[in-house]
Amino acid sequence: MKLEESTIAVTGGASGMGRYFSLQLAQAGTNVAACDMNEEGLNSLVAESADLPGTIRGYVTNVASEESVISFFDQAWADFGGLTGLVNNAGIFRDGLLVKKDRESGRIKKMSLKNWQMVIDVDLTGPFLCAREFAERHIENGNKHGVIVNISSIARY
């Protein structure tokens, strides 16, 4: 698969690694459907990519929502006439420790079930929904070549 002949969806495309991947792919001539919940970040990504060989379009999407993911893939597929790849990059963490002790007070704090569920929804359900929707459209359209890349990363500083 040649990058300059490809159209790739990148989740979490408005910032961090997703933004970097989107810009690098567009620099290589790839068309990019970048999705994220951060509309302002998507708008600045599209503006930053204006002079690159590939085109980046931004789509406000919640990867944890089945309806939002379906809508994203329907629209991106229509806008670009198909997709040849998916980079499942979107991810969150909510103070990744299950239990931690406050250094000053000694108080024990537990991760809330709400925060845990948000992490599961974005980090696990999101890639499942995106891969499923990409694969369905890919197969329906008789595409023979495509790629799904799942990324996992966490950074703390």
Side-chain angles (χ1 to χ4, degrees):
M1 180 162 79
K2 295 181 180 179
L3 288 178
E4 63 274 3
E5 298 171 4
S6 298
T7 301
I8 297 177
V10 178
T11 68
S15 63
M17 292 176 11
R19 184 182 191 93
Y20 178 80
F21 297 145
S22 295
L23 290 168
Q24 291 301 305
L25 287 166
Q27 179 63 46
T30 305
N31 291 321
V32 177
C35 74
D36 202 296
M37 290 179 58
N38 178 352
E39 185 172 13
E40 185 177 315
L42 286 170
N43 290 339
S44 71
L45 171 68
V46 170
E48 186 176 343
S49 69
D51 295 328
L52 298 178
T55 299
I56 298 178
R57 290 189 183 176
Y59 302 84
V60 176
T61 306
N62 177 355
V63 297
S65 163
E66 184 174 32
E67 297 79 21
S68 186
V69 169
I70 290 170
S71 178
F72 162 62
F73 278 96
D74 285 345
Q75 190 61 56
W77 205 275
D79 289 348
F80 287 108
L83 297 168
T84 53
L86 165 64
V87 177
N88 267 324
N89 167 75
I92 63 169
F93 65 94
R94 297 287 184 257
D95 195 355
L97 300 175
L98 297 176
V99 178
K100 74 176 185 179
K101 186 175 187 178
D102 185 277
R103 290 182 183 174
E104 293 179 19
S105 70
R107 187 174 146 254
I108 302 294
K109 182 178 178 187
K110 298 187 293 186
M111 176 188 262
S112 72
L113 182 58
K114 178 181 177 183
N115 282 350
W116 171 252
Q117 192 60 57
M118 288 182 353
V119 170
I120 293 299
D121 290 346
V122 173
D123 295 359
L124 295 178
T125 303
F128 160 75
L129 291 171
C130 291
R132 183 187 72 185
E133 295 306 313
F134 172 81
E136 176 189 24
R137 285 158 184 76
H138 207 70
I139 293 166
E140 277 180 348
N141 288 283
N143 299 86
K144 300 212 184 286
H145 303 287
V147 64
I148 298 174
V149 176
N150 295 311
I151 294 173
S152 175
S153 174
I154 188 167
R156 289 191 106 157
Y157 44 91

